[in-house]
Amino acid sequence: MNVLMVCLGNICRSPLAEGILKSKVDSTHTFVDSAGTAGYHVGNPPDSRSIKVAQDYGIDISQQSCRKFTISDFDFFDVIYVMDKSNFSDIIRLARNKSDAEKVKLLLSEINLKNEEVPDPYHDTHDGFKKVYIMIDNACTVIAARLENK
């Protein structure tokens, strides 16, 4: 199973989601990556605050490198989790067909919060990053349990 996590810049939420899910699944059965809908930070590491909050929970995301979502991601990934409705719309607009579109889901829909979004903590404090981490962790716990039972 190949899982992609997507946010706007691939520096705050999606790197956290990638790191969290990777920490919960067997890497021999599940590949996890992340991307952004915008190319602002391509090649850069995640935001230092994301790195710090991940470290607070024993996860190292410092070696990740930001990249932009590409159409070919629809071919490689089985499911594409997006952090908010804006990025959901951006990815859906790129879908070439129904099969592509069916792969795209709001991350929090996995914990029965169908219209809820993971807020962008970029303009927030460390506490905002911690709140986002907890939201993502809750969703990734459910996703990992499903993946490990397949």
Side-chain angles (χ1 to χ4, degrees):
M1 178 69 83
N2 298 318
V3 179
L4 183 64
M5 302 296 193
V6 178
C7 68
L8 178 63
N10 191 216
I11 60 168
C12 295
R13 297 168 289 176
S14 57
L16 282 172
E18 176 187 344
I20 293 167
L21 188 58
K22 277 182 175 178
S23 76
K24 295 177 182 289
V25 297
D26 179 346
S27 64
T28 62
H29 300 290
T30 304
F31 174 78
V32 184
D33 196 11
S34 63
T37 56
Y40 309 131
H41 306 284
V42 171
N44 293 337
D47 186 287
S48 62
R49 295 164 296 174
S50 286
I51 293 170
K52 170 72 172 103
V53 77
Q55 286 175 341
D56 290 347
Y57 289 93
I59 297 172
D60 182 8
I61 64 169
S62 64
Q63 298 306 306
Q64 291 182 22
S65 179
C66 300
R67 73 175 187 87
K68 187 174 180 190
F69 181 88
T70 65
I71 297 292
S72 63
D73 286 328
F74 285 117
D75 298 325
F76 184 76
F77 291 96
D78 301 298
V79 63
I80 300 166
Y81 288 110
V82 295
M83 302 299 134
D84 60 44
K85 294 174 189 171
S86 176
N87 289 295
F88 181 90
S89 296
D90 290 343
I91 299 298
I92 289 295
R93 270 195 293 278
L94 296 172
R96 301 163 295 188
N97 52 50
K98 185 178 177 182
S99 176
D100 285 356
E102 287 174 345
K103 294 179 178 187
V104 185
K105 302 175 186 207
L106 281 170
L107 179 72
L108 296 184
S109 69
E110 292 299 331
I111 54 173
N112 295 320
L113 298 173
K114 300 221 182 295
N115 290 312
E116 295 294 319
E117 303 175 296
V118 176
D120 189 345
Y122 186 75
H123 296 290
D124 207 336
T125 64
H126 181 74
D127 285 343
F129 278 78
K130 184 175 179 177
K131 288 175 188 170
V132 163
Y133 181 96
I134 292 166
M135 295 172 85
I136 294 170
D137 184 60
N138 289 337
C140 286
T141 297
V142 171
I143 292 166
R146 286 191 190 136
L147 292 172
E148 294 301 303
N149 288 326
K150 286 190 174 189

